[in-house]
Amino acid sequence: PDIWDVIAPQFAQVTSTGLGFSTFDQMLPMQRGDRVEETYWNYSLTPLRDEAGVIVGIFNQGHETTEQVRTRRA
């Protein structure tokens, strides 16, 4: 739920257009322990279709890049 306001529109875009989506070093504020932390992610959303071509789901693949982003900033 921490990141839904960022990713919900992206999922909706994939569902409505049928096109995949990718983003790199996307900042996603996540609750970690007792505080919200800036985290960064590369991820993609790919529509999954049934035999008739109807979108029945979305495959989401992601990789956290927080440390790489912090290193580049330093």
Side-chain angles (χ1 to χ4, degrees), residues 13-30:
Q13 176 185 333
V14 171
T15 302
S16 67
T17 66
L19 301 174
F21 174 85
S22 295
T23 188
F24 302 93
D25 296 332
Q26 170 72 56
M27 198 283 282
L28 298 173
M30 291 188 174

Side-chain angles (χ1 to χ4, degrees), residues 4-74:
W4 194 244
D5 61 323
V6 175
I7 65 169
Q10 297 166 348
F11 275 78
Q13 176 185 333
V14 171
T15 302
S16 67
T17 66
L19 301 174
F21 174 85
S22 295
T23 188
F24 302 93
D25 296 332
Q26 170 72 56
M27 198 283 282
L28 298 173
M30 291 188 174
Q31 183 77 33
R32 290 194 168 164
D34 60 349
R35 65 189 176 102
V36 175
E37 219 178 273
E38 275 189 14
T39 68
Y40 294 86
W41 296 82
N42 292 346
Y43 60 90
S44 62
L45 308 173
T46 304
L48 301 174
R49 299 176 185 275
D50 67 9
E51 303 80 30
V54 176
I55 297 172
V56 294
I58 295 176
F59 177 69
N60 172 224
Q61 181 173 331
H63 176 77
E64 186 170 2
T65 61
T66 303
E67 289 306 315
Q68 292 90 332
V69 170
R70 288 180 180 160
T71 298
R72 283 194 306 267
R73 285 183 178 174

